[in-house]
Amino acid sequence: MTDVVVIGAGPAGAVAALRAADLGARTTLVTSSGFGGMAANDGPVPVRTLAHAARLIRDVRQLGQYGIAVGELVLDYSRLLARVRGVVSEVLAHSSLREQIDSAGVTIHERAGATRFADPHTIVTETGLRLQADKMIICVGGVGRRLPIPGFEFTCTHSSAFSLTEVPPTMLVIGGGATGVQVASIFNAFGSRVELFETGPRILSGEDEDIAAAVATAFREAGIVVHENFGIIDSFEKTSAGVQMNFSKNGERDCAEATLAVVAAGWVANTAELNLGGLGVLTDHRGFVKVDDYLTTSVPNIFAAGDVTGRLMLVPPALQQGFVASTNAVLGPTVRLEESVNTSAGFTHPEYASAGLTETKARETHDVVTAVIHFDSTIRTIIDGRKVGFCKLIVDRKTAKILGCHVVGERAVEIAQVAAIAISAGLRVDDLARVPLAFPTYTGNLADAAASAARQLELHVGCQAPENAMSR
């Protein structure tokens, strides 16, 4: 019997296996498919590659503003998909985590197929492996949620859309969360006529309201038809042109038809085949594993980390959870999962990103000051012709500490990540405003928003060359 078996080789599983081995445990890592999990094979890596292609298309269309003439723009989708596969292969080949795991002596079983618990200390895989361990760590991630709707089999997932042989002329995207808006934005750039459907009152419901509104406006201006609060889906049906979605609202029926219908209606845990119920491992109605602050499940020797816990379904929290779960599996309950500042982001056009609390959430417990710098009046955005968007800071009035940052537009992710560092460090807004950043830069807009908030709080920030001098 080995000491630790980690099930799943995504970010959480990879870190969990490495941590266990570093602590001296005999460790085995088993995965149903390849190393890297969804993040490398079906998530951020391939999606970001396609988003980069979409960005290049938009960049080419901007060249005329700078006196650069080019010929007709043509997208060879098959070559693009070959590039995506090449990027995924290169990322996996150069993964520092894989190199460290190998050097740490972890035994790895890839492409083992579905895994099932025979008992709390034993798993059996589809390929016939039977592994036993003192401690088990579940890191199997999540899968797209299937809707109990007639004709759902005529729809596809984002993965299916990203493996097409050609760009569909029309597309329905059902679901206005992070995955749905990225699919809509990418294929809009590729030339598809896209309709985006969200059952809730707004797309990007987990983001700050100003971000959701700005992205929805930009999408509509780009030609994406955005339907918010559209009603209830009654059925899907196959048509000669593709797929038709039938829906209704307040007793009135309507329909939409396209070559392809992509459903991105959230995630459920990838736990259906694990036999967790037979072990007494508690899960919620979507299969997510219930854990305590030490990431222990209801069965003491079984831990869980990453998306399978249903918490923040992002790579950075998954890495942190993998470390915590593995530490506690090997050493006992010694490390609690700490709350941390995470950056969420969407590689859409325009890009958006957030760090810390939304304004609505912050106002529940704080007296806040907000400062917004609009990109249509800042120097670097004017130079680059990227004037859509804003940088918004949320600051506690009493302590002057930054509670949240929300950005839409060019380099949004990079700006928000700097804000995340400032929030994590507990910087006051006037301290951030005094940081001498390079000029003119996008990150300078963050310092300018900080200076604006500091002035509202009547805090002295000294004499600094403002990034958005045009608006002062």
Side-chain angles (χ1 to χ4, degrees), residues 160-215:
S160 306
F162 292 155
S163 59
L164 297 170
T165 57
E166 60 184 10
V167 175
T170 56
M171 177 182 287
L172 307 179
V173 179
I174 298 92
T179 300
V181 297
Q182 288 184 113
V183 171
S185 181
I186 288 168
F187 280 92
N188 170 257
F190 291 168
S192 296
R193 296 193 304 277
V194 179
E195 290 189 66
L196 176 62
F197 291 83
E198 168 56 42
T199 57
R202 61 185 177 93
I203 63 171
L204 298 174
S205 60
E207 298 290 338
D208 188 85
E209 290 186 17
D210 287 342
I211 280 186
V215 172

Side-chain angles (χ1 to χ4, degrees), residues 10 86 121 135 144 182 221 325 340 356-358 455:
H121 295 280
K135 301 293 173 61
Q182 288 184 113
E221 290 176 352
S340 59
L357 300 178
T358 65
R455 286 198 304 276

Side-chain angles (χ1 to χ4, degrees), residues 9 78 95 99 109 179 213 255 274-275 332 346 379 458 464:
S78 61
S95 169
E99 293 175 359
H109 297 285
T179 300
C255 66
L274 285 176
N275 185 35
I379 294 174
E458 298 182 350
Q464 179 183 359

Side-chain angles (χ1 to χ4, degrees), residues 295-321:
L295 298 181
T296 311
T297 71
S298 52
V299 176
N301 76 296
I302 301 177
F303 297 75
D307 289 359
V308 76
T309 66
R311 300 189 178 195
L312 280 174
M313 301 179 77
L314 301 168
V315 171
L319 297 171
Q320 179 191 23
Q321 289 180 35

